[in-house]
Amino acid sequence: MITRAFKRSVEACRFFIFRTGFDWYYHGFVLRDGAWRTPLVARLNIREGERILEVHGRGSCVAADIIQRHPKTQFTLVDVDPPLNAPKTGSIAFEHNRLTCNGGQFDKVICSMVLHPLSPALRRVLLGELRGVLRNGGKLYVADFDAPVEKRQGTILRGLASKFGYESAASHSHGTWTSTVEKAGFTHIKRLHTVPEWHSRVTIVRARR
């Protein structure tokens, strides 16, 4: 009994250390300071006066980088994971599985590292809402985790499965997550760029309404 209890304690300690290290790396480096941010902004090909919506999570917003380069851009932000009891900071929110705005308002939508925490069902709902707010011919840009090509790049994916559930992480581990973009009604889906992080791999995808 003592040996069994000791083993359980060791496993619990290992899990705690892994989750603590994962959260530190995931939030502090991959989201807030990841190498994916610069190529994502570079591939947006922003034109003066375009209306852009960025859907982001805590730490993954790239709006400041874009506004600095394109101050005349009309920018709207939606945080899909705001801190508990945080006041609303924008005119649009993702509430009750709906974006609180009219359709066809935006020329481009940026989805910054938002899909992987969501369940497959909620992911389809969000993408459907994003398609609805784009004008005809408008473009969606997505940056998110992709299937590893090196063993070490699977570390983040194991952490994602632990943090958000296997069902949410599975399509990113297999590289099939872009199929959800297609199922939401987007066309001309293309992988534009892949950024190898130390323990992960992030791909930037473009699609059209």
Side-chain angles (χ1 to χ4, degrees), residues 2-183:
I2 295 176
T3 302
R4 193 175 301 172
F6 177 74
K7 287 182 177 179
R8 285 198 297 266
S9 297
V10 170
E11 288 301 316
C13 184
R14 285 177 177 172
F15 178 76
F16 174 77
I17 293 172
F18 175 78
R19 277 295 301 271
T20 302
F22 169 79
D23 286 343
W24 173 75
Y25 179 73
Y26 170 72
H27 290 288
F29 287 89
V30 179
L31 295 188
R32 288 187 170 86
D33 197 32
W36 59 271
R37 301 172 70 93
T38 298
L40 171 61
V41 172
R43 278 157 179 76
L44 294 175
N45 296 319
I46 294 173
R47 298 176 181 176
E48 186 175 316
E50 280 189 318
R51 301 162 300 169
I52 298 177
L53 171 69
E54 183 184 8
V55 180
H56 64 94
R58 273 180 272 178
S60 66
C61 182
V62 298
D65 301 332
I66 296 171
I67 293 172
Q68 185 176 8
R69 299 184 186 186
H70 306 277
K72 294 184 180 180
T73 300
Q74 301 177 45
F75 223 97
T76 304
L77 299 175
V78 173
D79 187 346
V80 298
D81 184 30
L84 192 64
N85 298 323
K88 291 184 179 180
T89 57
S91 58
I92 301 176
F94 185 59
E95 297 176 339
H96 309 295
N97 296 345
R98 297 296 300 262
L99 282 172
T100 57
C101 68
N102 297 324
Q105 288 193 26
F106 297 98
D107 300 298
K108 292 173 180 173
V109 170
I110 308 167
C111 192
S112 305
M113 303 296 281
V114 165
L115 298 184
H116 64 268
L118 305 179
S119 68
L122 186 54
R123 192 177 302 177
R124 287 191 294 270
V125 169
L126 175 61
L127 287 167
E129 289 291 297
L130 297 182
R131 184 179 183 275
V133 301
L134 274 170
R135 64 168 176 80
N136 289 331
K139 294 177 182 178
L140 170 73
Y141 292 83
V142 184
D144 222 306
F145 295 109
D146 212 346
V149 294
E150 298 179 22
K151 185 176 180 180
R152 70 187 186 193
Q153 292 174 345
T155 304
I156 280 288
L157 294 166
R158 290 192 294 273
L160 294 179
S162 173
K163 186 177 182 68
F164 302 114
Y166 174 79
E167 193 177 32
S168 296
S171 64
H172 294 273
S173 298
H174 302 148
T176 59
W177 59 276
T178 56
S179 65
T180 311
V181 179
E182 183 178 7
K183 290 175 181 176

